[in-house]
Amino acid sequence: MPVQHRSRSEILAYAAVGMEPPPVIPLRKSDPRQAGPYRLETVLGSGGMGRVYLGRDTTGGAGLAAVKVIRPEYAEDPLFRKRFEREVGALDRVKGAHIVRLMGSGCYEDLVWVATEYIPGPTLSDVVTERGPIDAAAAWRLLADMGRAIEAIWRAGLVHRDLKPSNVVLGADGARVIDFGVVQAGDGTSLTATGQNVGTPAYMSPEQTRGLEVTTASDVFSLTSTLTYAVAGQAPFGEGTGVDVLHRVAFDAPREEVLDKVADVDAELAAFIRTCLDKDPEQRPLPETVFRTAIGHQLSAPTGGLSHAARNVPPSVHPSRASGPRHFPPPRPPNPPPTVRQPPRPRPGSAGGS
């Protein structure tokens, strides 16, 4: 029998940012009840490629999974199945603390599915919509978490290509990047369905909008646009799906009034965002630099007092501080990444696949 309630961990994850979990969405009659070892219990969401369910392993495996079941029109296409198998193989190479783990996948007749680790908590988009922009301390932490995530993707030789506020989940132990449905191999080989729109216009990189080669520098750009939205409440090039947004991303400077809002929160953060939003991919910092910059700022920041922006942060659920303003729950200090030889950044080339 499908569950109709939220787990304690999910309730606490939402409460930590002053929110309540959304209502449980029950399965429809047409929804599958099983995908591989996973019993599907509720609906988590849906998109262009399929629906996502909360799944419970019936073979004794630990934890819950977010199980995406691909729409039949794609699942029945032999070419799509081949691409799907390649994508799953690519995702299995990505390992990192701020990336959801691949739990399993399967292609059984008309049922094609992939399961990833389920992270209880709201998306960044949900938090900003309901609670407003985040403060400086939360922004530097978010930058560190997302920087570490795209570094892990980069080291696996992949590019996410769809980093945006709704693809960042704020879990109890930090931000996690989700939804690798449009992930691309670092050599430019597309792992998505032919003809599928890749990315979300307001958070695309200039090279994406122009059909040029997409590298990890594209993820740095999209990460920074996402961070700008989190701090200012607006994307740096405006919202929407029209050609005007794509043109601004490709050719215009980020909107000054938006970056001014970021500067009001933290001038150093605004300056770093400008660097990451350079139109030239070669001028943007590497993911490792993004992470180290954020961590360096966190370690050097004063521990006493709260910034002016922090006054709008939802109160903590901690009883001793429930009446006062709070940042997002503080993370455990991360260990610095091991020193490794940096792979050469690819030269700008011809258009990548989509």
Side-chain angles (χ1 to χ4, degrees), residues 160-241:
H160 188 287
R161 294 198 302 172
D162 198 23
L163 286 171
K164 57 185 177 181
S166 60
N167 279 345
V168 178
V169 173
L170 302 178
D173 58 351
R176 301 284 191 98
V177 172
I178 65 170
D179 198 352
F180 288 75
V182 295
V183 72
Q184 173 178 308
D187 61 4
T189 304
S190 174
L191 301 177
T192 55
T194 302
Q196 180 188 359
N197 290 330
V198 176
T200 302
Y203 300 96
M204 281 182 173
S205 67
E207 52 269 32
Q208 276 182 292
T209 66
R210 298 171 65 185
L212 302 177
E213 180 186 28
V214 173
T215 68
T216 190
S218 177
D219 282 349
V220 170
F221 191 98
S222 299
L223 176 159
T224 313
S225 294
T226 297
L227 181 68
T228 302
Y229 168 81
V231 178
Q234 298 173 274
F237 300 96
E239 300 283 354
T241 59

Side-chain angles (χ1 to χ4, degrees), residues 11-353:
I11 292 172
L12 291 176
Y14 276 86
V17 290
M19 296 172 59
E20 294 184 359
V24 171
I25 303 176
L27 299 178
R28 304 173 304 185
K29 290 183 178 180
S30 58
D31 285 321
R33 267 44 183 181
Q34 191 85 16
Y38 294 100
R39 182 179 70 243
L40 307 182
E41 299 187 339
T42 63
V43 178
L44 296 176
S46 61
M49 299 299 294
R51 283 167 70 83
V52 183
Y53 304 90
L54 181 66
R56 188 178 300 276
D57 193 335
T58 57
T59 63
L64 299 171
V67 183
K68 177 182 285 188
V69 175
I70 305 302
R71 295 187 186 279
E73 57 265 35
Y74 296 111
E76 295 170 0
D77 181 354
L79 293 178
F80 174 85
R81 286 179 176 242
K82 183 176 180 180
R83 284 189 294 264
F84 174 82
E85 291 173 357
R86 291 174 56 204
E87 177 172 319
V88 169
L91 295 184
D92 199 32
R93 301 201 305 267
V94 182
K95 310 293 182 184
H98 297 285
I99 300 290
V100 290
R101 293 181 291 116
L102 178 69
M103 307 293 284
S105 64
C107 295
Y108 305 120
E109 296 182 351
D110 62 344
L111 184 65
V112 177
W113 60 273
V114 58
T116 56
E117 178 184 13
Y118 174 64
I119 306 298
T123 67
L124 180 62
S125 178
D126 293 335
V127 170
V128 174
T129 298
E130 185 164 331
R131 305 297 299 181
I134 65 177
D135 69 18
W140 283 109
R141 178 196 173 182
L142 178 64
L143 181 62
D145 289 354
M146 291 197 297
R148 177 54 72 86
I150 64 170
E151 183 182 6
I153 298 170
W154 170 51
R155 294 194 185 284
L158 303 173
V159 183
H160 188 287
R161 294 198 302 172
D162 198 23
L163 286 171
K164 57 185 177 181
S166 60
N167 279 345
V168 178
V169 173
L170 302 178
D173 58 351
R176 301 284 191 98
V177 172
I178 65 170
D179 198 352
F180 288 75
V182 295
V183 72
Q184 173 178 308
D187 61 4
T189 304
S190 174
L191 301 177
T192 55
T194 302
Q196 180 188 359
N197 290 330
V198 176
T200 302
Y203 300 96
M204 281 182 173
S205 67
E207 52 269 32
Q208 276 182 292
T209 66
R210 298 171 65 185
L212 302 177
E213 180 186 28
V214 173
T215 68
T216 190
S218 177
D219 282 349
V220 170
F221 191 98
S222 299
L223 176 159
T224 313
S225 294
T226 297
L227 181 68
T228 302
Y229 168 81
V231 178
Q234 298 173 274
F237 300 96
E239 300 283 354
T241 59
V243 176
D244 55 337
V245 177
L246 296 174
H247 185 275
R248 289 195 295 269
V249 170
F251 301 106
D252 294 353
R255 292 183 167 184
E256 287 299 325
E257 65 271 22
V258 176
L259 293 188
D260 285 346
K261 290 183 178 181
V262 179
D264 288 343
V265 175
D266 190 302
E268 186 178 346
L269 181 65
F272 188 68
I273 284 175
R274 286 184 184 276
T275 301
C276 295
L277 291 179
D278 197 296
K279 298 297 184 189
D280 183 357
E282 292 293 322
Q283 299 305 312
R284 297 173 207 149
L286 292 170
E288 181 185 34
T289 303
V290 173
F291 171 74
R292 290 185 180 277
T293 299
I295 287 298
H297 187 279
Q298 287 181 295
L299 294 177
S300 63
T303 56
L306 292 171
S307 67
H308 172 74
R311 296 172 192 168
N312 293 324
V313 175
S316 167
V317 293
H318 193 289
S320 64
R321 302 189 64 176
S323 60
R326 285 280 288 166
H327 308 291
F328 287 143
R332 293 188 298 271
N335 295 322
T339 301
V340 298
R341 185 182 300 277
Q342 296 297 318
R345 177 176 285 177
R347 291 178 173 273
S350 58

